[in-house]
Amino acid sequence: MATSSMMDLYEGVVQGFGLPAFGWKICLAHDFEEKRKPFQASNVSLVNLIIHFPMGLRYLFWWMRKTYMEKKPPFIDMLNSIPLRQIYGAPLGGIGGGTITRGWRGEFCRWQLNPGLYDYETVIEDQFTVCIRRNGQTVYQQVLSVEKPSTLQGWNWGFCGRHAFYHALYPRAWTVYHLPGQNVTLTCRQVSPIIPHNYKDSSLPVGVFIWEIENGNDHEIDVTIMFTMRNGSGVVSDKNGGHWNEPFCVHKDGERISGVLLHHVAAANPYTLSVSSRSKVGTDVTHLTSFNPEGLGHDVWMHLMQDGCLKSPPGKTAPTCKGEMTAAAVAASCTIPSQGHGMLEFCLAWDMPCITFGSGMKEHLRRYTRFFSSSGDAGPALSYYALTHYKEWEKKIEEWQGPILANSTYPAWYKSALFNELYFVADGGTIWVEVPSETTEEDLLGPDVGKLSHLSRVLREYGRFAYLEGQEYRMYNTYDVHFYASFALVMLWPELEISLQYDVALAVLKEDPNYRRHLMNGQVSMVKTKNIVPHDIGDPGDEPWVRLNAYLIHDTANWRDLNLKFVLQVYRDYYLTKNSTYLQDMWPVCQAVMESELKFDTDGDGLIENSGTADQTYDGWVVSGPSAYCGGLWLASVCVMCKMAEILSDDVMLQKYSRILEKGKSAFERLLWNGKYYNYDSSHSAGANSVMSDQCAGQWFLRACGLGDGQYEVFPKQHVISALQTIFELNVKQFAGGTMGAVNGMRPDGKVDYSSVQSDEVWVGVVYGLAATMIQEGLIQEGFETAEGCYKTVWERLGMAFQTPEAYCEKKVFRSLAYMRPLSVWGMQLALQCRDEENLPPHQQSSKVVDGTL
């Protein structure tokens, strides 16, 4: 996305500094067209509530009680949508320890330290500054930021963005600076430990910055990079007082790491930031333990300009007073010979080892405390480990990404989407916590102890994992959405998917008939019904895993899709991991939820019926009677029940579900197939024959499980192909000129279905799943073209990098920034890998595909 006049220069840097040829690229001077004509934030649920006035009034009363009396954020805040800020870059940090996002212009601007909560504040003093000296004199000193803030005016701000480029291929990012008039190029490489199949380093709350310095002059230069950081995340509590800083130094195995610890005191979830650099031969590291970030900043600036070093009083600082803030600086210096190259390394770590959720009921230790101290003093050790292991991380990242990037049959945009959408695994309000060693089997399972024989082992070894439905939809492990996103987990961190599934299975077995709640539709329901899959495992503002189903808009015990999505994921996970103990544990749970689901087949024809409400993941789109979406998921689930029964030699269940499948297939075709595609539903409503982009979701999962054809064909292949071609012709090509992906609903005459508040939306994660289905069925070009529209709309036109929304419309409306579902892009990768493997000779074919590469 760099301007064309500078593209040649950019490409030269890509080749000269080893940047990957693929990723999301942008010039720091770029101004998005839609920044001048911004898309509007919308909330479909709010629109729905306004249309249904009584529900809207109940929501308003609930919102006021939650906000003003309980002083907690609502699980969905329909009155305060997050505004679009086209500034975000790749987030820093591993999985489950919190994240800090550095924007593509260099600012630190999104903070997710407290579990499930975000601070969207740009902390302007968090910067890198370069100082260049020649013959003992400073000839150039510049903050590497295009901003011109009102604070720290003693610093030289306003770096010209036309001389810098940003390039992201998560979990790494590069910023290249051509220093005007200096013949010097700086490349800052940002690395986070996001490593497939790694359950230690991938949990670490750290980010490393490697500064490559290229001296194009015929004389040597001395270069200093200074890293400054405020004690805090830009929120009011930064001035609460009691915060303090102290220097540290780690000498170990011939390595020396030094820097400053910034201790942030808080009533709940205190933390320590650690800013450090690595000393080595030819590199000097100095620091300033504290400076005033609200002043002019002359003390820091002049120290650096004088000799390229920082000077600091010894010892730790006194705690700040109320209304006062503090910041710290670390500088690393080296000499670069003429026409030479140098390197400086920095680390940012954050240590919040023990967390509580909004209820304050329990304390939880984050996953990384299994390997590092849980006492709040792990900053030095984390910094040392990161700076001495990041090269190993990069090697593993390149081994993982390399084969995909080298595959010339994959489009460039797809390679960017595949890796950059993974940001949400870490930055989705993600938590990864330990099960306390003193927890007994009965504590975990309660009265159901013994029913999930391997649950305890899995949770003790791999911990508990949860991520939000979205940064605006604050519910953990929202299951109808995780169905789509789960491909990323099962392919890259399969043990986290297995752990999550055990938690859901445990929740299925729970029931609390004495605890009821008022829903926003006026109904009263149990919070959790036995043998029903929960909608979510809780709100970070309450107590996840203890109080389930934070979602209050509908009674999800009557949703048609949740139980089915559990069954499909169980078999998909088994198929890809070959974990037979997992399958054996889950088999009774699958039987229980399918038995609960059978009650929705009211006429005994082998096909479930929808209720005439929005009783599935499309919770604003009413569906009645047998439907393409839920009916297809049902038949796919019945098919995998047959397959699991066969594997486990359960002849009774095999016969039962085989009979249901034969009846159900006949009813599905008779009631829904219209000769070209499957109707939305079998009602007599005006929208019954709409073309739903997600009508083949059941087939998608069957093919991902190695089923769906031959002996296990559920939907006739010619019908699947016809339906997908119709979707491509109407929902894709007839929508926005074929450039924005697939709209959820389209009328047979090529007009968008406006019958509901969700039928006229594009759901990015659904589109990636649709593209995967097309690829599975051999419509590879159509699949890529369908998904390309979404990627280019979100990442290139709208500037929504690293905040991909759930939905957008053709007419400049989007909903729910930074959402879970787009992780389904990894379903496309599984489809591509499976097709590639089918073309291999038999002796080269593997029995499972779970690593994101062949």
Side-chain angles (χ1 to χ4, degrees):
M1 296 194 62
T3 56
S4 58
S5 61
M6 302 192 72
M7 206 60 191
D8 290 342
L9 179 59
Y10 174 81
E11 296 299 339
V13 171
V14 168
Q15 296 174 7
F17 282 80
L19 275 67
F22 306 100
W24 183 66
K25 316 174 184 80
I26 192 167
C27 174
L28 267 62
H30 185 81
D31 191 13
F32 287 97
E33 177 186 353
E34 296 299 343
K35 187 174 183 179
R36 296 185 292 275
K37 301 185 302 177
F39 267 41
Q40 301 169 1
S42 172
N43 196 302
V44 164
S45 299
L46 179 57
V47 173
N48 202 22
L49 294 180
I50 292 171
I51 293 172
H52 299 88
F53 176 72
M55 184 185 290
L57 193 60
R58 282 189 288 269
Y59 174 83
L60 184 59
F61 287 144
W62 175 85
W63 183 91
M64 293 177 67
R65 185 181 75 246
K66 194 80 174 175
T67 304
Y68 294 111
M69 296 178 65
E70 298 180 21
K71 299 193 181 302
K72 292 181 179 180
F75 73 93
I76 298 179
D77 192 339
M78 300 181 185
L79 304 181
N80 295 294
S81 296
I82 297 172
L84 173 61
R85 302 172 70 205
Q86 298 159 316
I87 64 173
Y88 297 119
L92 290 155
I95 300 171
T99 51
I100 299 173
T101 296
R102 187 170 183 240
W104 52 269
R105 287 193 173 100
E107 63 274 63
F108 290 79
C109 51
R110 186 169 65 196
W111 306 74
Q112 194 271 300
L113 300 179
N114 282 295
L117 300 176
Y118 289 81
D119 296 321
Y120 299 94
E121 303 294 336
T122 296
V123 184
I124 199 63
E125 54 268 37
D126 296 354
Q127 297 290 346
F128 286 101
T129 297
V130 62
C131 172
I132 297 179
R133 295 172 57 79
R134 179 182 178 190
N135 298 326
Q137 297 294 318
T138 296
V139 295
Y140 182 84
Q141 188 160 299
Q142 174 72 52
V143 182
L144 296 171
S145 169
V146 298
E147 303 296 331
K148 296 180 180 179
S150 58
T151 58
L152 296 172
Q153 292 191 352
W155 295 11
N156 184 24
W157 296 89
F159 184 82
C160 179
R162 287 182 55 80
H163 297 287
F165 304 91
Y166 181 83
H167 185 123
L169 190 68
Y170 188 76
R172 297 193 293 175
W174 295 256
T175 311
V176 181
Y177 303 88
H178 303 286
L179 304 185
Q182 303 305 310
N183 204 15
V184 173
T185 299
L186 307 176
T187 300
C188 177
R189 187 168 78 254
Q190 169 186 313
V191 182
S192 292
I194 301 293
I195 305 163
H197 306 284
N198 180 303
Y199 300 92
K200 176 187 174 182
D201 291 5
S202 290
S203 72
L204 303 184
V206 299
V208 177
F209 301 94
I210 304 98
W211 287 84
E212 306 274 359
I213 306 157
E214 190 76 20
N215 179 13
N217 295 295
D218 292 328
H219 53 78
E220 72 174 23
I221 55 174
D222 297 317
V223 177
T224 298
I225 300 291
M226 178 177 70
F227 188 8
T228 51
M229 179 70 58
R230 183 203 290 187
N231 188 328
S233 58
V235 296
V236 174
S237 62
D238 292 356
K239 292 187 176 184
N240 280 357
H243 312 311
W244 54 286
N245 305 339
E246 66 173 325
F248 76 92
C249 186
V250 178
H251 289 270
K252 185 178 178 182
D253 297 332
E255 296 283 356
R256 176 186 169 94
I257 309 298
S258 57
V260 180
L261 301 173
L262 297 86
H263 302 287
H264 195 86
V265 179
N269 304 333
Y271 63 90
T272 296
L273 297 170
S274 173
V275 181
S276 62
S277 186
R278 185 182 193 177
S279 299
K280 53 191 176 183
V281 176
T283 300
D284 296 318
V285 177
T286 57
H287 71 272
L288 179 60
T289 308
S290 179
F291 70 90
N292 178 12
E294 295 184 292
L296 294 175
H298 282 313
D299 50 347
V300 187
W301 196 258
M302 296 313 295
H303 279 168
L304 191 65
M305 183 168 285
Q306 183 177 357
D307 57 7
C309 298
L310 298 173
K311 301 174 182 62
S312 185
K316 63 184 180 182
T317 66
T320 56
C321 298
K322 188 173 180 61
E324 188 178 52
M325 293 195 298
T326 185
V330 173
S333 307
C334 65
T335 299
I336 313 295
S338 64
Q339 303 298 325
H341 172 268
M343 183 175 70
L344 299 170
E345 302 152 298
F346 292 85
C347 176
L348 174 62
W350 48 101
D351 182 24
M352 184 190 285
C354 184
I355 58 172
T356 58
F357 296 106
S359 73
M361 179 187 300
K362 294 183 176 183
E363 289 188 339
H364 304 266
L365 291 178
R366 294 194 192 262
R367 169 71 175 185
Y368 74 87
T369 63
R370 172 178 285 228
F371 316 107
F372 292 87
S373 170
S374 61
S375 301
D377 56 0
L382 285 166
S383 302
Y384 172 86
Y385 189 86
L387 285 168
T388 55
H389 284 77
Y390 78 83
K391 291 181 181 178
E392 182 182 319
W393 299 343
E394 290 197 279
K395 183 174 182 290
K396 291 178 180 178
I397 290 168
E398 288 167 0
E399 288 172 351
W400 159 43
Q401 295 183 340
I404 294 173
L405 299 179
N407 191 322
S408 60
T409 65
Y410 298 167
W413 66 264
Y414 169 73
K415 297 170 184 178
S416 175
L418 187 67
F419 293 114
N420 284 328
E421 291 290 7
L422 274 177
Y423 82 95
F424 197 84
V425 172
D427 198 28
T430 311
I431 50 173
W432 187 3
V433 297
E434 292 285 278
V435 171
S437 57
E438 65 273 15
T439 303
T440 67
E441 301 285 308
E442 191 169 352
D443 291 335
L444 280 174
L445 289 164
D448 297 301
V449 63
K451 289 189 177 179
L452 295 168
S453 60
H454 291 81
L455 177 142
S456 178
R457 180 194 64 78
V458 169
L459 296 189
R460 290 182 193 281
E461 186 171 350
Y462 294 104
R464 282 182 144 157
F465 171 87
Y467 57 162
L468 296 176
E469 179 178 337
Q471 291 182 12
E472 295 190 76
Y473 290 11
R474 297 171 55 259
M475 295 159 282
Y476 274 127
N477 292 351
T478 300
Y479 202 72
D480 56 303
V481 183
H482 172 70
F483 173 76
Y484 296 82
S486 61
F487 284 90
L489 283 189
V490 74
M491 293 177 70
L492 302 175
W493 295 276
E495 299 297 348
L496 293 185
E497 166 68 7
I498 297 296
S499 170
L500 186 156
Q501 287 284 85
Y502 267 106
D503 267 328
V504 172
L506 182 59
V508 166
L509 301 175
K510 288 183 177 180
E511 181 174 64
D512 187 354
N514 299 317
Y515 184 27
R516 296 180 175 270
R517 59 185 180 164
H518 292 271
L519 301 175
M520 291 176 193
N521 60 7
Q523 297 176 349
V524 177
S525 75
M526 283 195 297
V527 171
K528 176 64 185 66
T529 305
K530 191 170 184 177
N531 295 337
I532 299 292
V533 171
H535 174 272
D536 58 82
I537 58 101
D539 178 352
D542 192 5
E543 192 62 42
W545 294 297
V546 175
R547 286 197 274 271
L548 310 176
N549 285 334
Y551 182 86
L552 295 172
I553 297 174
H554 302 289
D555 181 4
T556 58
N558 292 318
W559 274 21
R560 294 340 192 224
D561 60 340
L562 291 170
N563 295 332
L564 308 177
K565 289 173 175 177
F566 177 79
V567 172
L568 288 169
Q569 285 186 78
V570 164
Y571 184 69
R572 190 274 318 271
D573 297 345
Y574 164 75
Y575 175 74
L576 293 179
T577 66
K578 297 298 183 281
N579 187 333
S580 58
T581 56
Y582 165 74
L583 184 65
Q584 291 166 358
D585 264 3
M586 294 297 165
W587 178 234
V589 186
C590 289
Q591 292 178 64
V593 299
M594 286 296 282
E595 194 64 33
S596 295
E597 194 78 10
L598 273 169
K599 68 177 180 289
F600 299 132
D601 179 10
T602 57
D603 56 7
D605 65 351
L607 192 61
I608 63 169
E609 291 87 36
N610 289 90
S611 64
T613 63
D615 54 5
Q616 25 70 45
T617 195
Y618 296 87
D619 57 352
W621 196 356
V622 169
V623 56
S624 300
S627 67
Y629 183 68
C630 291
L633 292 175
W634 162 254
L635 291 179
S637 300
V638 174
C639 178
V640 302
M641 286 294 287
C642 293
K643 182 64 177 178
M644 289 188 286
E646 178 185 314
I647 293 169
L648 297 170
S649 301
D650 190 332
D651 293 337
V652 173
M653 287 297 107
L654 177 58
Q655 292 177 19
K656 173 180 178 177
Y657 284 101
S658 294
R659 289 193 296 268
I660 294 172
L661 182 60
E662 288 309 308
K663 288 197 299 180
K665 287 195 298 185
S666 175
F668 189 79
E669 296 296 323
R670 182 179 73 255
L671 296 170
L672 293 165
W673 180 250
N674 65 17
K676 291 189 66 178
Y677 60 91
Y678 293 102
N679 287 334
Y680 177 68
D681 67 19
S682 56
S683 69
H684 298 292
S685 67
N689 65 340
S690 284
V691 185
M692 186 188 197
S693 65
D694 212 4
Q695 64 184 269
C696 295
Q699 176 71 0
W700 172 33
F701 253 73
L702 284 177
R703 293 301 297 269
C705 297
L707 305 174
D709 59 1
Q711 178 185 353
Y712 294 98
E713 181 180 272
V714 174
F715 311 98
K717 184 174 180 62
Q718 66 269 28
H719 289 187
V720 173
I721 297 293
S722 176
L724 292 173
Q725 289 174 333
T726 301
I727 294 167
F728 183 71
E729 292 165 5
L730 293 177
N731 302 58
V732 179
K733 301 299 285 184
Q734 293 295 314
F735 176 71
T739 63
M740 294 182 73
V743 67
N744 282 343
M746 183 69 83
R747 301 295 299 140
D749 61 3
K751 295 180 181 178
V752 173
D753 182 345
Y754 290 105
S755 64
S756 83
V757 292
Q758 291 176 336
S759 55
D760 68 330
E761 291 184 321
V762 175
W763 287 11
V764 180
V766 167
V767 173
Y768 287 148
L770 168 63
T773 314
M774 291 175 171
I775 290 167
Q776 289 167 340
E777 302 302 331
L779 303 175
I780 298 174
Q781 184 57 41
E782 290 88 342
F784 277 134
E785 188 174 338
T786 296
E788 181 180 10
C790 273
Y791 174 82
K792 291 191 172 179
T793 295
V794 170
W795 288 78
E796 297 185 0
R797 284 184 52 214
L798 307 186
M800 292 179 175
F802 300 101
Q803 53 183 326
T804 303
E806 156 75 319
Y808 58 80
C809 298
E810 181 179 9
K811 296 182 179 179
K812 304 189 183 305
V813 176
F814 68 88
R815 177 170 61 84
S816 188
L817 290 170
Y819 200 76
M820 177 199 291
R821 204 181 319 247
L823 285 169
S824 61
V825 68
W826 279 86
M828 291 181 64
Q829 184 60 21
L830 179 63
L832 288 165
Q833 289 173 194
C834 290
R835 288 196 66 82
D836 289 344
E837 182 142 319
E838 287 172 2
N839 295 326
L840 292 174
H843 69 279
Q844 293 183 16
Q845 295 181 7
S846 66
S847 61
K848 59 182 179 178
V849 184
V850 294
D851 63 353
T853 61
L854 283 176

